Amino acid sequence: MSSLFIAGHEFHSRLFTGTGKYASADAMMDSLTASESELVTLSLRRMDLKNQTDNILKPLQQQRIKLLPNTSGARTAKEAVFAAELAREALETNWVKLEIHPDPRYLMPDGMETLLAAEELIKKGFVVMPYVHADPVLCKRLEEVGCQCVMPLGSPIGSNMGLASRPFLEIIIEQSTVPVIIDAGIGAPSDAALALEIGADAVLVNTAMAVARQPAKMGKAFRLAVEAGRMAYESGLGERRVQAQATSPLTDFLGALS
Amino acid sequence: MKIMLNDVPHEFSGKTLQDLLIQLDKSEQGIAIAINQQVVPKSLWTSTKLNEQSQVFIFESIAGG
């Protein structure tokens, strides 16, 4: 399986993962370890001054997993830029998953604010990974302003509905000259395999792994699915046809019996 | 002196941002600080003095997707 390069960084795994919704830090680490993911997302919030929070940073840093802060919680470009600057300080990385979703019900990304924020963050030296709708025009615009990849959604965050946006993802994949990472909605390993089979460069999975009864086993299942999907893509899938095409030669060797 | 910390009045006896973190007994790992809407780089925490007008926000990294 070939490596994936984003902004000059080599990834051996095409499975990116989120850290949210796990029952415990141990469950998270077991799942991430089994998944062999090399990039995980984190978010920021105002510090809880009364309670000590579960430290998930240390085990992640010990595993040498690359950290990708997101701008979740931002509702405008201005808030997202501020969040990215905070995240750069907090996690000592200029990589950012840019996500701006003003509506808490469907968490649909705001494309206009995302484009504005992306432009500004790129000027400030960030590696911007924008989470967007499966909008081929917007993905091109983001590429033009200098985003190092695009992250279109398969379906709403946490919905487990898989690649509901598939026809549009296929257009994005066909047109993009930067890596396409399908983010959000991937509910089963088969969704992830399909994403890679149709030519996505990677997927980002969180909920499906985190809420599984056995998160470690599910992490491994996603790893295998992503590897299978990518290998299938690299080896070349056959064309779909309406009619049958025989795999055994249709000779008349039983003709004498009739 | 009284500063505003994460939108709540906070009694503070030190001088700098670094003093505040020591007082709060919080790890410096994975956190970021803004004063009056400006991000303060880690390298300036020891030299950044707080005053009664300081609106300090401390952020921490947590799990997320």
Side-chain angles (χ1 to χ4, degrees):
Chain A
M1 196 175 71
S2 63
S3 292
L4 168 63
F5 288 86
I6 299 173
H9 187 99
E10 182 176 9
F11 294 97
H12 305 92
S13 163
R14 291 171 179 271
L15 173 58
F16 298 159
T17 47
T19 55
K21 298 187 187 173
Y22 280 97
S24 68
D26 284 344
M28 179 195 81
M29 282 315 297
D30 290 346
S31 181
L32 296 182
T33 304
S35 77
E36 295 183 13
S37 176
E38 295 171 353
L39 183 77
V40 303
T41 60
L42 289 166
S43 48
L44 280 188
R45 69 162 180 200
R46 285 188 193 177
M47 184 180 264
D48 183 345
L49 297 166
K50 295 198 180 94
N51 305 301
Q52 203 73 39
T53 39
D54 211 1
N55 189 355
I56 58 164
L57 209 50
K58 219 177 192 173
L60 290 172
Q61 285 168 333
Q62 280 166 350
Q63 290 282 322
R64 297 173 180 277
I65 298 173
K66 188 164 179 59
L67 304 179
L68 177 65
N70 68 30
T71 62
S72 181
R75 289 157 301 175
T76 63
K78 194 178 165 204
E79 287 179 358
V81 170
F82 185 58
E85 288 177 328
L86 286 169
R88 179 163 60 180
E89 281 302 313
L91 295 173
E92 293 167 10
T93 175
N94 62 342
W95 287 45
V96 66
K97 179 185 164 191
L98 174 60
E99 53 179 301
I100 304 177
H101 32 70
D103 159 38
R105 185 163 177 220
Y106 293 109
L107 298 173
M108 288 290 112
D110 185 323
M112 283 190 277
E113 294 292 315
T114 303
L115 183 60
L116 289 172
E119 261 188 296
E120 191 169 343
L121 287 169
I122 287 157
K123 277 184 205 147
K124 287 174 185 276
F126 283 86
V127 172
V128 178
M129 303 174 70
Y131 166 65
V132 288
H133 217 290
D135 177 341
V137 177
L138 178 61
C139 285
K140 271 326 254 188
R141 295 290 295 273
L142 287 162
E143 188 184 313
E144 283 160 18
V145 300
C147 288
Q148 304 268 15
C149 66
V150 287
M151 303 179 82
L153 57 78
S155 50
I157 294 174
S159 69
N160 293 331
M161 288 201 298
L163 307 188
S165 57
R166 177 174 173 175
F168 307 100
L169 293 171
E170 288 180 317
I171 299 172
I172 294 168
I173 290 164
E174 185 206 316
Q175 294 183 338
S176 187
T177 58
V178 294
V180 177
I181 298 146
I182 299 180
D183 183 8
I186 292 175
S190 53
D191 298 331
L194 177 62
L196 277 288
E197 282 173 13
I198 65 172
D201 295 280
V203 288
L204 197 153
V205 178
N206 187 348
T207 302
M209 281 166 58
V211 305
R213 260 198 320 278
Q214 297 185 52
K217 197 179 256 187
M218 190 62 89
K220 185 178 178 184
F222 269 100
R223 169 172 73 79
L224 296 171
V226 166
E227 283 178 13
R230 179 65 190 184
M231 285 168 77
Y233 172 75
E234 288 180 4
S235 37
L237 288 159
E239 211 177 299
R240 281 181 176 236
R241 294 169 204 272
V242 177
Q243 287 185 23
Q245 220 180 22
T247 39
S248 306
L250 295 175
T251 59
D252 193 28
F253 79 107
L254 295 172
L257 299 175
S258 55
Chain B
M1 77 178 127
K2 249 198 184 73
I3 59 165
M4 288 298 282
L5 179 59
N6 287 7
D7 266 344
V8 177
H10 180 85
E11 191 55 44
F12 170 58
S13 56
K15 283 179 183 154
T16 66
L17 256 186
Q18 192 71 32
D19 297 339
L20 177 65
L21 285 179
I22 292 165
Q23 202 179 76
L24 291 171
D25 193 26
K26 290 286 185 186
S27 161
E28 290 179 18
Q29 282 283 309
I31 73 167
I33 303 177
I35 299 180
N36 304 334
Q37 308 291 322
Q38 293 293 319
V39 181
V40 184
K42 243 173 216 171
S43 56
L44 298 179
W45 288 357
T46 49
S47 59
T48 301
K49 293 200 168 62
L50 300 180
N51 60 45
E52 297 264 349
Q53 276 78 48
S54 298
Q55 295 208 18
V56 181
F57 283 98
I58 307 183
F59 300 85
E60 63 187 343
S61 41
I62 56 159

